[in-house]
Amino acid sequence: MSPFKPLVFSGVQPTGNLHLGNYLGAIRKFVALQESHDCIYCVVDLHSLTATLVHDDLADQTRQITAAFLAAGINPKAHIVFNQSRVPLHAELAWIFNCVARIGWMNRMTQFKDKAGKDRENASLGLLAYPSLMAADILLYRATHVPVGDDQKQHLELTRDIAAKFNNDFSKRIRDLGLGVEMEMGEETVDGFFPLTEPLIEGPATRVMSLRDGTKKMSKSDPSDLSRINLTDDADAISKKIRKAKTDPEPLPGEVEGLALRPEAENLVGIYAALAETSRESVLSEFAGAQFSTFKPALADLAVEKLGPVASEMRRIMADRRYVDTVLKDGGERAGAIAETTMKSVRRIIGLIGD
Ligand code: AQP
């Protein structure tokens, strides 16, 4: 049991159209966690600059992701919804974490390797330091739990490494200032300032794959629109994309083991299970022996039924730009107050003179 007050934090980058992977892997879980936890959900606009500095439509995309949060069912009054850049303390803590984290840790990040590609020397310094900013996003609120897709697992491990190193390097000052919380670290009990945050990566759709290639993650930046279902797609587009999804010629097996080495089949079964809020086993018991010509229309109907209301609610909310901006401003003020309390302590621990 963490000695810290349970708090959920997660973020989504405004880097393009939200897709089914973002929805099933992250946003839908954000909604469910509101019942049991205090939650802070952030549109991480500063992160979106790491890949492309100039976005013609950054502000629109930030509003669109906010609208998706609200349309999916996040309550911005009971919880907090805001955009990251509105609380500049994220950048201040990220700088401190840049000085805690080691370059070797960053160089090992698979997302950096994938996104930087072969021309690493030409990648932005921000892309390399991305996980430090992500650690700052989470630890600025001393969040204990972070719902994410499977692709973020390594970044969450790095967040724990940064928290542990900070706690360790400053343990005496944290204790002397009385700012620590007793935590178990191996055999020892130490006074730590930051929690060792737990990732929440569960369910049948923690890594939704591309509809065109079952070995690649469904992604906003895939050049092929047929590779993903966007949250804003209408019923015709959803049905067409599922109809055209790559599959193999075999019928569906009766057992999950039968999906091994069939990445496209495994992906579509996982998507069905997540949308129907059931297990892959139960989907296969219903569709055992079925051809894709039977399974795909059933999946398309289910996707339209589940995503249609979210898309229309998103459109309704997007039409009221003032409301969206008010949500972000109000959330930013409440997030900023929590962040300032953390940063005052961090500055004292480090020895930076402030108020
Ligand atoms: N394919 C996916 N399956 C399950 N979860 C996913 N997530 C992203 N893709 C999938 C989860 O969605 C949340 C928000 O992701 P993000 O926008 O912050 O960053 P990302 O992982 O870089 O998303 P994309 O769509 O792949 O964007 P690009 O193309 O810009 O790289 C996270 O919790 C993520 O795990």
Side-chain angles (χ1 to χ4, degrees):
M1 253 290 273
S2 168
F4 291 83
K5 183 173 170 284
L7 179 78
V8 166
F9 178 95
S10 199
V12 175
Q13 299 188 72
T15 43
N17 276 331
L18 281 174
H19 53 71
L20 187 64
N22 300 129
Y23 181 67
L24 296 177
I27 297 174
R28 213 178 55 171
K29 294 182 184 156
F30 299 178
V31 177
L33 283 161
Q34 296 181 108
E35 299 300 319
S36 52
H37 289 75
D38 287 332
C39 303
I40 303 181
Y41 295 126
C42 186
V43 185
V44 286
D45 45 9
L46 295 175
H47 279 282
S48 74
L49 307 180
T50 57
T52 317
L53 183 59
V54 182
H55 291 251
D56 290 337
D57 44 8
L58 178 56
D60 275 351
Q61 284 180 3
T62 300
R63 292 191 182 97
Q64 196 192 95
I65 288 172
T66 310
F69 285 177
L70 305 178
I74 291 170
N75 177 344
K77 285 206 164 29
H79 302 273
I80 293 180
V81 172
F82 74 110
N83 58 309
Q84 183 189 29
S85 59
R86 207 179 266 276
V87 180
L89 301 177
H90 286 249
E92 183 182 346
L93 187 57
W95 176 255
I96 291 166
F97 286 169
N98 280 343
C99 302
V100 173
R102 311 287 90 185
I103 291 176
W105 300 1
M106 300 297 167
N107 275 329
R108 281 197 287 278
M109 294 296 109
T110 51
Q111 183 171 294
F112 172 69
K113 290 186 208 163
D114 290 348
K115 292 201 169 176
K118 291 207 173 70
D119 195 8
R120 256 202 222 191
E121 293 295 307
N122 206 25
S124 75
L125 189 52
L127 190 64
L128 182 67
Y130 178 112
S132 252
L133 179 58
M134 180 163 158
D137 299 336
I138 296 163
L139 295 175
L140 194 50
Y141 304 96
R142 303 212 279 171
T144 54
H145 295 89
V146 180
V148 277
D150 180 66
D151 58 318
Q152 293 298 328
K153 193 170 168 199
Q154 198 185 28
H155 288 163
L156 261 299
E157 281 160 11
L158 192 95
T159 298
R160 289 167 69 92
D161 290 343
I162 289 177
K165 182 160 161 53
F166 183 96
N167 289 344
N168 218 39
D169 290 354
F170 290 104
S171 63
K172 184 168 178 324
R173 294 180 68 97
I174 294 170
R175 194 175 321 113
D176 291 350
L177 289 166
L179 291 170
V181 175
E182 272 195 7
M183 341 175 29
E184 306 287 329
M185 295 273 273
E187 305 275 279
E188 281 178 273
T189 303
V190 297
D191 276 18
F193 181 72
F194 288 120
L196 301 185
T197 308
E198 299 281 343
L200 298 174
I201 306 173
E202 290 146 11
T206 55
R207 183 179 282 262
V208 177
M209 308 308 272
S210 156
L211 298 180
R212 306 301 296 163
D213 177 351
T215 63
K216 266 173 58 186
K217 188 182 82 130
M218 185 178 283
S219 161
K220 301 187 201 98
S221 51
D222 192 312
S224 165
D225 193 52
L226 284 176
S227 71
R228 66 183 158 261
I229 294 175
N230 302 306
L231 281 194
T232 47
D233 282 344
D234 62 18
D236 286 350
I238 293 174
S239 302
K240 178 176 148 200
K241 287 175 181 181
I242 291 176
R243 203 170 55 243
K244 287 186 171 279
K246 186 177 166 201
T247 44
D248 56 44
E250 302 297 318
L252 284 174
E255 311 284 333
V256 170
E257 295 72 47
L259 294 171
L261 306 178
R262 297 181 63 188
E264 284 83 15
E266 187 176 20
N267 189 35
L268 295 187
V269 169
I271 292 173
Y272 192 105
L275 286 170
E277 297 180 56
T278 183
S279 62
R280 292 184 305 163
E281 286 79 0
S282 128
V283 176
L284 290 180
S285 71
E286 188 182 340
F287 288 96
Q291 298 291 340
F292 282 102
S293 53
T294 306
F295 183 67
K296 280 179 166 181
L299 176 59
D301 287 349
L302 180 64
V304 169
E305 178 197 323
K306 298 285 180 179
L307 301 178
V310 179
S312 58
E313 184 61 1
M314 255 178 93
R315 278 192 288 277
R316 191 188 67 76
I317 295 170
M318 280 294 284
D320 190 353
R321 182 170 142 175
R322 228 174 17 184
Y323 168 64
V324 174
D325 288 358
T326 307
V327 166
L328 293 174
K329 183 164 184 287
D330 169 64
E333 281 164 9
R334 289 187 288 133
I338 304 171
E340 187 52 50
T341 306
T342 306
M343 279 315 295
K344 276 194 174 131
S345 299
V346 169
R347 293 184 201 115
R348 284 181 71 205
I349 291 167
I350 293 179
L352 300 169
I353 297 173
D355 288 336

